[in-house]
Amino acid sequence: MSAMVDPITRSVVQHRLSSIVTEMGEAMLRTSYSQILNSSRDFSIGICDTRSRLIAQADHIPVHVGALPWATRAIEARFKDVVPGDVFLLNDPYHGGSHLPDLTAFVPVFAEGQRMLWTIVRAHQSDIGGATHGGYNPQATEIWQEGLRVPPLRLYEAGKLRDDLLDMLALNVRNGRDFRGDLAAMVGAANLGRRRLDRLFGEFGRAMVEAAMEGILDAAEQQARQVVSGWKDGVYHGEAFLDDDGRGRQDLRIAAKVTKRGSDIEVDLSDSDPQTESFVNSSHANTQAAVAMAFAYLIDPETPKNDGALRPLTVVARQGTIVWADPDRPVTMCTSHPSNEIVEAVIKALSTCCPDRAMAGWSRRFRMAIQGEDPRNGHRFIWHMFQARPGGGASPGGDGWSSIGEWHTAGGIKFGSIEVAEVRFPLHFRHHEFRADSGGRGQHRGGLGVALDLELEIAKGALANTAGDGVRHGACGLLGGEDGAPHNYRLLSAGKPPRPLKTKEVGIVLSPGDVLEIRSAGGGGWGPADRRDGAALARDRVQDLTTQELTTDALRREDLTTDTRKDM
């Protein structure tokens, strides 16, 4: 069918699809209520077809988008009587979701009387009910303790809202007003995408747009296979480790066996450790997304990341392992961990196969949520810490980005304005600056983490919980580079010794005037440190990015670099 479309028309359709998902994202950003969405941008946009193929996505959160085809399959399997004006929801990890805080809205798109596409918005809710505020429960031993489970359901019937269903959902979260506002923003953004696609179909006709989409997918597949074909055939192995599961098990292993033949890649995770009783298990859709992320990071950045680009990739996993938990196991941490470790294991495996494309490890996620009362207005608040983002891994192209985030977000989540956070929440950021020496040393240095001292301007006690990893294992160095520094979080209370914070805790009591001393992790280094450019070493020292004194060899390399530049 793609032969029906000339390259110019195909390109126009491709760019229109891209602009539509981008506009949907802007609508979400400008209309959502909670800071986790309108400041930190923890949402993603996609378009899938009725065969559950990813057609287009916006540049938001990779781990979200990689799971959308599996969520679409669940909607397609459940509903056979879809009509214009319908809106569907789900979040359940065992029905195509990744973890419970990520609620997903679907709006069908029709053309000439035939259902063609879905516009999709996935957004992380600031609360989803359950035993702890903020959507993460390190003490959960089953999924019912993590929050409200939403299987595939119809929220709007032919344009009519099911008010009773919305009331039930909002009643089961702690911040019903924000939940309603964020859900309205999701539905509005998805409907905006539907209207823009209606216009596209009206301009070009259903047959032409359908043919163009097939051509877009085929072209992406061709580009991806061309890259993979240049890698050396073989079987490669990589592994990565989580610190612990919060229940005494340490060094949980993710094992990747990657087989490359011709233009095909098979990633087998079957040898990963058994599942746990903790929330660091992964749902099936989330694991599929994590492997897709790793592959996407290795092919050309200009190649559209759609179903076609992922056709060379096959994922094998075994149920009952940490990468594919049995039904009803807790999984809420999975979009961060073990997602990051899955990516790391796959890229480690392929680093000898395509060293010119492989990045060093990105830092782990160590999040925190605080629930308390704002003394300025008496209102209850839930604040998610998106500041102090950790560092990204270095690459063959240069140093890692500092304070960029983790593998699974790839910079898509922002830490937002500190000043706005201080206005909206009873917090004072004493300082927020790069953490010197946190990036792993290498020919290219890992990105730096952040040093943050955060004072709580509360009048009553508050509660915090943490969820994450990376206080024992730093981001991995690659091809001779050194690991990044791990996280180091402490609670400072007057008259008490500093209290180290674990990555998986609930019920942390916070008092007025307490200070959270946050030292976030740095990214891994790439290549041997003794090959680093002398001028880069000197620049890091001058900018206080490192406290290390320059060695004689480093000074000599700086002189050589300076002399070479003079000759030029």
Side-chain angles (χ1 to χ4, degrees):
M1 187 174 287
S2 59
M4 296 169 51
V5 183
D6 64 90
I8 294 177
T9 301
R10 188 182 71 191
S11 179
V12 169
V13 171
Q14 180 175 333
H15 284 84
R16 284 283 291 275
L17 293 171
S18 178
S19 69
I20 288 169
V21 290
T22 299
E23 187 180 3
M24 290 169 64
E26 285 299 308
M28 267 297 295
L29 180 65
R30 296 170 186 271
T31 60
S32 52
Y33 276 40
S34 60
Q35 59 93 20
I36 199 170
L37 301 180
N38 63 29
S39 181
S40 298
R41 307 185 186 207
D42 196 351
F43 61 82
S44 295
I45 308 295
I47 296 173
C48 286
D49 67 5
T50 56
R51 295 162 59 184
S52 304
R53 299 181 302 174
L54 181 64
I55 303 299
Q57 61 164 301
D59 292 331
H60 290 124
I61 314 299
V63 76
H64 282 172
V65 180
L68 292 185
W70 304 90
T72 307
R73 291 182 186 185
I75 295 292
E76 288 282 353
R78 174 64 180 82
F79 296 100
K80 306 299 182 184
D81 57 343
V82 180
V83 299
D86 283 350
V87 179
F88 301 90
L89 295 180
L90 69 76
N91 78 343
D92 191 77
Y94 300 101
H95 291 88
S98 49
H99 71 164
L100 294 182
D102 287 340
L103 188 63
T104 310
F106 303 78
V107 167
V109 179
F110 290 76
E112 300 174 17
Q114 182 175 338
R115 185 162 60 86
M116 300 294 299
L117 299 169
W118 296 97
T119 55
I120 308 172
V121 179
R122 174 164 288 187
H124 188 115
Q125 306 304 301
S126 59
D127 190 81
I128 199 66
T132 59
H133 64 274
Y136 292 83
N137 181 9
Q139 292 185 333
T141 58
E142 56 186 12
I143 195 171
W144 292 281
Q145 297 164 346
E146 296 192 291
L148 179 65
R149 297 177 71 176
V150 182
L153 58 81
R154 197 183 327 240
L155 181 65
Y156 282 76
E157 293 180 324
K160 181 176 176 55
L161 172 66
R162 296 178 59 187
D163 296 288
D164 56 343
L165 185 56
L166 177 58
D167 289 346
M168 186 276 293
L169 295 172
L171 185 64
N172 278 278
V173 300
R174 291 172 176 82
N175 50 358
R177 174 183 176 276
D178 282 5
F179 179 86
R180 289 174 179 271
D182 291 340
L183 182 55
M186 294 169 64
V187 174
N191 272 314
L192 172 64
R194 188 259 308 161
R195 292 194 299 273
R196 296 294 184 262
L197 287 167
D198 286 346
R199 183 181 300 174
L200 178 66
F201 281 111
E203 290 178 22
F204 289 92
R206 179 179 63 81
M208 184 66 73
V209 173
E210 187 175 17
M213 290 189 300
E214 293 296 334
I216 292 166
L217 299 182
D218 291 344
E221 177 184 9
Q222 181 180 11
Q223 294 170 32
R225 290 192 180 280
Q226 184 175 8
V227 169
V228 175
S229 296
W231 303 345
K232 183 180 178 181
D233 283 357
V235 179
Y236 305 93
H237 296 270
E239 62 181 12
F241 295 89
L242 285 78
D243 286 352
D244 58 70
D245 67 352
R247 301 178 185 280
R249 280 181 62 183
Q250 292 189 335
D251 296 334
L252 282 75
R253 177 173 177 261
I254 305 297
K257 174 185 175 184
V258 183
T259 303
K260 187 271 176 182
R261 294 190 186 92
S263 63
D264 291 306
I265 294 283
E266 179 187 87
V267 175
D268 188 344
L269 303 171
S270 300
D271 198 33
S272 298
D273 274 358
Q275 62 192 357
T276 80
E277 294 182 354
S278 175
F279 64 171
V280 297
N281 298 302
S282 182
S283 64
H284 178 260
N286 182 74
T287 290
Q288 293 281 344
V291 178
M293 276 192 293
F295 181 69
Y297 294 155
L298 295 172
I299 61 177
D300 287 346
E302 296 82 9
T303 299
K305 306 307 183 290
N306 55 32
D307 178 84
L310 298 177
R311 287 173 185 169
L313 180 65
T314 301
V315 181
V316 178
R318 181 165 53 88
Q319 191 169 345
T321 62
I322 192 172
V323 300
W324 186 359
D326 289 332
D328 308 330
R329 290 273 179 155
V331 296
T332 296
M333 196 65 226
C334 72
T335 52
S336 298
H337 305 288
S339 282
N340 282 265
E341 290 74 21
I342 293 171
V343 174
E344 185 174 301
V346 173
I347 290 184
K348 277 183 178 178
L350 287 170
S351 62
T352 57
C353 174
C354 54
D356 58 328
R357 292 177 176 270
M359 292 182 287
W362 287 42
S363 302
R364 314 295 176 89
R365 179 80 166 110
F366 190 170
R367 47 106 26 223
M368 178 182 301
I370 299 173
Q371 175 181 265
E373 181 182 297
D374 190 334
R376 298 169 297 184
N377 53 32
H379 295 163
R380 184 172 69 171
F381 71 89
I382 298 176
W383 178 74
H384 294 261
M385 188 184 76
F386 281 93
Q387 283 71 22
R389 304 293 286 160
S395 71
D399 295 345
W401 288 99
S402 295
S403 190
I404 190 68
E406 311 84 6
W407 281 117
H408 71 287
T409 66
I413 289 181
K414 316 299 181 184
F415 65 68
S417 166
I418 287 174
E419 291 78 13
V420 170
E422 290 180 330
V423 169
R424 297 178 67 176
F425 301 95
L427 305 170
H428 171 57
F429 291 78
R430 290 183 175 178
H431 69 93
H432 186 281
E433 60 192 21
F434 290 146
R435 179 188 178 192
D437 299 321
S438 55
R441 296 196 311 152
Q443 179 179 347
H444 300 300
R445 169 184 48 75
L448 302 182
V450 168
L452 162 65
D453 286 351
L454 180 67
E455 182 179 355
L456 299 168
E457 297 184 330
I458 52 178
K460 300 178 181 179
L463 289 176
N465 61 58
T466 63
D469 207 74
V471 298
R472 295 180 60 243
H473 294 292
C476 72
L478 198 66
L479 300 173
E482 297 179 7
D483 293 352
H487 295 292
N488 185 12
Y489 289 17
R490 300 195 304 174
L491 173 62
L492 308 182
S493 302
K496 298 179 181 179
R499 177 195 186 288
L501 295 178
K502 299 177 182 179
T503 54
K504 304 167 183 70
E505 286 194 72
V506 297
I508 303 168
V509 177
L510 304 175
S511 300
D514 279 356
V515 174
L516 292 167
E517 182 187 82
I518 307 297
R519 302 294 181 264
S520 64
W526 188 95
D530 60 8
R531 295 183 184 176
R532 184 160 178 77
D533 178 76
L537 287 166
R539 183 173 62 249
D540 285 351
R541 187 71 180 87
V542 169
Q543 295 178 353
D544 292 327
L545 303 182
T546 181
T547 59
Q548 298 172 353
E549 296 294 336
L550 294 179
T551 64
T552 302
D553 286 345
L555 289 169
R556 182 176 61 83
R557 291 202 301 276
E558 180 187 2
D559 290 340
L560 289 174
T561 303
T562 303
D563 291 343
T564 302
R565 288 174 180 168
K566 287 179 179 179
D567 293 340
M568 294 174 64

